[in-house]
Amino acid sequence: MPSVSTSFRHAPRCGITVLAFLSFMSVNAQAAVTVDPDEDKKQPSLSAGKADSKKRADKKTDLKKNGSEANEVPGSIEQLLVLGRRPNATTDGTGTYTVRAVTTTKMLMKPQDVPQSISVLSTQQMKDQNLNTIDAALKQVAGVNVNLYGDGTAGYSARGFQLQAQYDGVPTSGSLNLSQQYDLAIYDRIEVLRGPSGLLQGAGTPAGSVNFVHKRPTDQFQANGSFSAGSWNNYHAMIDVGGPIGNSKIVSTRLVMAGTDRDFFYKNASDRRWTIYSATDFRLTHHDTLSVMVSYQGNDTTRFMGLPRSATGGDLNLARSTFIGSNWNTSSAPMVEVEGQWEHVFSHGWRARVNGRHRTSDTTLQYAYVSSYNAAAQTANFTAANTKYSEVNDGVDGYFTGPVHLFGQTHTLMAGADYNHYVYQGGGASLTATSNPQLRGISIFSPDRLSSITLPTIRNRYREPSDQWGVYGQALIKPVSTFSILLGGRISGYVSKEQQLGPTRGPMETSINQQGILTPYIGGVWRVIPAISLYASYTSIFSPQSAYDTQGRLAPVRGNQIEGGIKGDLFNHGLGFTVAGYKIIERNESIYNSSLGMVCGPSHNDDCYLSTGKTRSQGAEVEVIGRPARGWDINASYTFNDNTILNNGNATQAGLAYAPNSPRHLWKLWTHYRFEPYVGAENNIWSIGGGINAQSGTFGTNRLVTQKGYIVASAQVGYQWNRHLEATATLNNISNTRYYQRLGNLNYYNYYGEPRNFMFTLRSNF
């Protein structure tokens, strides 16, 4: 894999231009297609397995248009319906921000019928805002915090905890944090369920889960493409082509290619990534469909560990273009993913689905970062790090669901099982200023001495496999037509092992083995009137622990949530809203037992812990999304989150907020309006859009590092020549607000937000 990253790094920038050219040639294609730098973790033993913590340590259907029916002529190039698709929750081609259903629950429920906070980012909003990356997309979702790590990865959290990931409903081990993600172009939508999701996720945190749903083949030919150019040589191009193979419509396929070639607003840093994705459906019978999806992404990103702060935690007021590191700071993580899905439709509305997923990645990280800083002299001692590891994530999920007619009402049953196997293999090494004088007293503005540093050889390597299984079920019971009860539960098992591979091979040891863990679920929805519902739910999740007390291994961390609120479905299903209140208690967290020595564990030579840690997260959310009037789309939200330490073993911290970079108040707004002179207009149409992201003050991984609240606004103007071609110009951070998009400690992981910048996008559709 190193050879891949090397060749990619030196790929000519003209490649992005070629892809852009292909994007617009797609219009004519119809005839041809018949360390510990990562201090964010709470307790070392709280992760869902040591594989994830080791990784951190080493990396340290109908188109609705404002209530009108689908047979109206589409008015914009985004409202061209993907004709003939199967009835499901697909957003591609609907032209709206609202969705007909969500698949996170596996029962294709309307968002208004889910007794929990759930948000969906549709294809249309992604296009309107020119969103190309997962971190840019999740920044627009209610209640989600995004904190970049300076190497193409990010940390994602909600309600004070780290979010988990699913891909087409298949859960994965570990959180989203520090994981490379594919270009947004391959996804139809992103479903974000906030609050514990243990029923279908298994092990995790109370934050919730993010379900990435891939684009699927279309039953009729379609092609679209886009090309974007922006500040700091930021280029992105995409082409998306799909349709049936031949005339039988037994086989249909879809191909997506995307590329990014950009420099950052800070010096000496760039990001190059190329993505290719294909999906093929085989309609084996009228009742059976087999789907195969294959993805590849190569990337080469400059690894930037952020800026230092003063000894008291204050802002040093460095130029936002400041880059601190070496010219060999790099990050490369090529990924391959293969997914297969079989779906069988029974009679009487029952269906069964089996999904299998295999993802591999090989990560190389080489970087230098500040280990101590002298503000007066503007010099620093550095650490040089070399990390290489591979990851394999195999998952399978199978379930069946369908209606049951009893007592004059229609109920729904769902049952299934899943299994996930994750393997981390690799290690890292570092040089410090203590061991290498060349790393001492280097000017942060001219760190030329770092160029001559020879990276250390990696000697300590580990292999850490983990396995998780679960059996789950849920019933949606309707005593009366206006009231539904959801009852469900899951029984899970989790095993994590570790083995040292170098410098000498050691035995495979079991670090976690916890079986038969029950996570219940109960919820209710009362439809007061057809457009308004009240709901309440109790949800739960668990996280295995590797720590010991004097009696043995600690029980899993438990997260439980009570949530209630009101949901609305207004303007003939064109506008949805949610008002929610929640309270989460996470208990059984491990706390180091300083009164005992290393006398715990099977060999009585491990540190001792107590399972007395406890945290609380409570708050409220308001979200409005959809189309209140013809041509006007909006996605607005407000989140209030109060996360508090109840007990972490330090009496002086009881009552303090526990989650860094998690604001108490969070506002998000995006709105877009098309000046259509009449329904179905196609030519010479102007549009305007704009948004704000605002938050209250936060603190970093060191509590001395703080910042006040800030507001960042954007504005957009667009023009549609005809139903096939449109352009938009977007201005971001209009007021050139100076802020930190993430706070770390006194030495690194402090990142300024982007200064004022623009993006021009040309989009074609056929």
Side-chain angles (χ1 to χ4, degrees), residues 83-403:
L83 298 172
R85 61 168 177 256
R86 298 184 299 276
N88 53 30
T90 300
T91 69
D92 190 15
T94 64
T96 67
Y97 291 5
T98 55
V99 296
R100 293 166 294 179
V102 292
T103 56
T104 297
T105 63
K106 301 187 186 299
M107 291 193 290
L108 284 179
M109 299 173 64
K110 295 180 180 179
Q112 293 77 17
D113 294 332
V114 179
Q116 205 167 342
S117 297
I118 188 167
S119 302
V120 181
L121 193 67
S122 69
T123 297
Q124 185 61 49
Q125 186 174 348
M126 297 177 195
K127 291 180 178 179
D128 283 351
Q129 289 192 258
N130 299 317
L131 304 176
N132 300 318
T133 63
I134 296 301
D135 55 274
L138 290 179
K139 283 180 181 178
Q140 308 306 318
V141 176
V144 176
N145 300 305
V146 178
N147 299 290
L148 303 183
Y149 281 93
D151 63 349
T153 69
Y156 306 94
S157 64
R159 301 183 177 179
F161 303 95
Q162 297 176 357
L163 285 161
Q164 313 299 124
Q166 295 182 8
Y167 297 87
D168 296 313
V170 182
T172 64
S173 293
S175 67
L176 275 170
N177 285 14
L178 297 167
S179 296
Q180 292 285 348
Q181 301 297 327
Y182 280 96
D183 192 290
L184 202 60
I186 74 173
Y187 296 116
D188 171 79
R189 64 190 180 278
I190 301 176
E191 302 174 344
V192 181
L193 181 72
R194 292 183 296 284
S197 56
L199 176 69
L200 300 175
Q201 182 71 40
T205 74
S209 62
V210 182
N211 186 26
F212 299 94
V213 184
H214 286 89
K215 288 180 176 177
R216 301 296 298 274
T218 54
D219 291 341
Q220 293 191 19
F221 173 80
Q222 65 84 31
N224 64 86
S226 66
F227 174 72
S228 299
S231 301
W232 312 299
N233 302 313
N234 185 357
Y235 302 103
H236 181 273
M238 184 275 295
I239 182 171
D240 179 349
V241 181
I245 304 298
N247 297 320
S248 65
K249 296 190 177 182
I250 295 176
V251 181
S252 56
T253 190
R254 190 164 189 170
L255 177 67
V256 178
M257 293 185 292
T260 295
D261 186 345
R262 64 173 300 187
D263 296 332
F264 292 98
F265 64 91
Y266 44 88
K267 299 176 181 177
N268 308 320
S270 62
D271 183 34
R272 315 280 185 260
R273 52 187 67 221
W274 301 87
T275 306
I276 184 168
Y277 165 77
S278 69
T280 306
D281 282 355
F282 302 89
R283 292 168 180 81
L284 305 178
T285 69
H286 289 296
H287 301 283
D288 296 273
T289 301
L290 176 66
S291 303
V292 179
M293 291 162 275
V294 181
S295 311
Y296 170 80
Q297 181 168 283
N299 74 285
D300 185 17
T301 307
T302 303
R303 171 67 153 153
F304 177 41
M305 291 292 289
L307 303 174
R309 302 275 286 204
S310 72
T312 59
D315 186 3
L316 294 172
N317 293 313
L318 299 171
R320 284 182 284 185
S321 61
T322 302
F323 173 84
I324 299 178
S326 173
N327 56 8
W328 41 257
N329 275 36
T330 59
S331 169
S332 176
M335 301 185 296
V336 176
E337 184 175 68
V338 179
E339 183 176 340
Q341 181 185 103
W342 170 76
E343 184 176 61
H344 179 80
V345 178
F346 299 91
S347 59
H348 308 296
W350 282 79
R351 61 188 177 90
R353 175 177 290 183
V354 178
N355 267 30
R357 172 178 172 268
H358 171 76
R359 177 186 282 196
T360 63
S361 63
D362 293 281
T363 299
T364 300
L365 293 170
Q366 301 175 353
Y367 56 99
Y369 64 94
V370 173
S371 56
S372 63
Y373 179 64
N374 185 328
Q378 293 187 326
T379 60
N381 292 344
F382 281 78
T383 295
N386 185 16
T387 301
K388 293 183 180 181
Y389 61 88
S390 65
E391 295 174 283
V392 178
N393 205 318
D394 295 317
V396 62
D397 176 86
Y399 67 95
F400 63 91
T401 183

Side-chain angles (χ1 to χ4, degrees), residues 571-636:
F571 298 105
N572 196 17
H573 311 297
L575 183 73
F577 74 85
T578 301
V579 180
Y582 61 88
K583 181 177 181 179
I584 298 172
I585 298 293
E586 189 178 62
R587 51 174 56 88
N588 295 348
E589 300 171 2
S590 62
I591 295 176
Y592 176 65
N593 188 348
S594 59
S595 64
L596 296 176
M598 299 177 65
V599 297
C600 292
S603 302
H604 304 289
N605 58 4
D606 292 326
D607 288 328
C608 296
Y609 289 82
L610 299 171
S611 59
T612 57
K614 190 175 182 180
T615 53
R616 181 188 67 215
S617 175
Q618 58 188 5
E621 290 179 340
V622 179
E623 181 182 32
V624 178
I625 184 169
R627 183 168 295 172
R630 183 171 67 89
W632 179 23
D633 293 299
I634 186 171
N635 187 350

Side-chain angles (χ1 to χ4, degrees), residues 328 365-368 384-386 429 431 452-457:
W328 41 257
L365 293 170
Q366 301 175 353
Y367 56 99
N386 185 16
L431 290 176
S452 61
I453 297 295
T454 301
L455 286 172
T457 301

